[in-house]
Amino acid sequence: MTDAINLLVQQFQNGQLSRREVVTGLAALFAAATGSAAQSPGPPVAVRTLNHASISVTDIKRSVDFYQSLFGMRIISQQGTGNNPIAGGDGSVVNLAPGAGPEFIGIYQGKPAGDIGHFCLGVQNFDADRVLASLQSRGVKASIRTRGQSREIFLTDPDNISVQLTDATYCGGSGLRGNECK
């Protein structure tokens, strides 16, 4: 595109094009570039938020007290599920929000303490089946986990870091999108 612009300017300077023809040519170039950009496919899964990170601790109550007293975080939901994919502990998770939400930090008892269990990306208008099919069509190994009514996707990145995909409104609570919290 730079070459085309340079050619238009050179032709104008040589008297081969009028000012109107240069402007018309530039408009046509930009319209063509915008049109082709609009037609290019977007990413297969368009994430909109960093929804949460989940961390392992040695004492859930002590950590909740720490984050609440130091940063003013509030408990927005709690989970106690036996099928939690987190190693160690009893499956209990306390979710603390730094603001209005839905973003949060999930705290669970696990070994070794201090690990980031996973991070979660929020997808606008999340449809677990559609997202899973899109990932699998690209050779990504992923699976759906159902927690209550909420369906969530888990996969690992190339360095084996666990990634969760949920609706952008997910707060670790109940409901179809996991977005019904206190």
Side-chain angles (χ1 to χ4, degrees):
M1 183 153 144
T2 303
D3 291 339
I5 293 170
N6 287 335
L7 179 62
L8 284 171
V9 170
Q10 183 181 15
Q11 288 176 331
F12 173 72
Q13 290 172 338
N14 292 341
Q16 296 170 307
L17 294 177
S18 70
R19 184 174 293 155
R20 181 181 302 252
E21 290 169 321
V22 170
V23 170
T24 302
L26 288 172
L29 283 172
F30 288 118
T34 303
S36 65
Q39 294 173 6
S40 64
V45 181
V47 298
R48 296 291 177 246
T49 63
L50 176 58
N51 184 271
H52 70 271
S54 182
I55 60 173
S56 65
V57 299
T58 56
D59 183 325
I60 292 175
K61 182 182 177 340
R62 183 181 68 193
S63 294
V64 167
D65 289 345
F66 172 83
Y67 284 100
Q68 284 185 315
S69 66
L70 191 60
F71 301 118
M73 294 178 139
R74 62 186 175 82
I75 296 173
I76 60 167
S77 63
Q78 297 184 51
Q79 302 170 6
T81 174
N83 68 350
N84 199 319
I86 301 167
D90 65 0
S92 296
V93 180
V94 176
N95 298 316
L96 298 170
E103 300 81 11
F104 63 92
I105 296 174
I107 297 176
Y108 65 94
Q109 184 176 340
K111 294 186 173 47
D115 279 358
I116 295 178
H118 69 275
F119 67 92
C120 177
L121 300 172
V123 179
Q124 195 71 35
N125 301 316
F126 180 72
D127 177 328
D129 294 319
R130 183 185 52 78
V131 171
L132 182 64
S134 179
L135 292 169
Q136 290 175 337
S137 74
R138 288 164 173 78
V140 176
K141 292 180 183 176
S143 62
I144 294 177
R145 175 184 82 170
T146 302
R147 187 186 51 77
Q149 295 176 304
S150 177
R151 298 176 76 214
E152 306 153 2
I153 293 180
F154 281 86
L155 61 122
T156 56
D157 78 358
D159 289 310
N160 209 32
I161 296 170
S162 183
V163 179
Q164 179 183 5
L165 300 174
T166 63
D167 191 78
T169 62
Y170 179 86
C171 63
S174 60
L176 290 175
R177 298 188 181 273
N179 62 349
E180 295 174 16
C181 293
K182 296 180 188 180

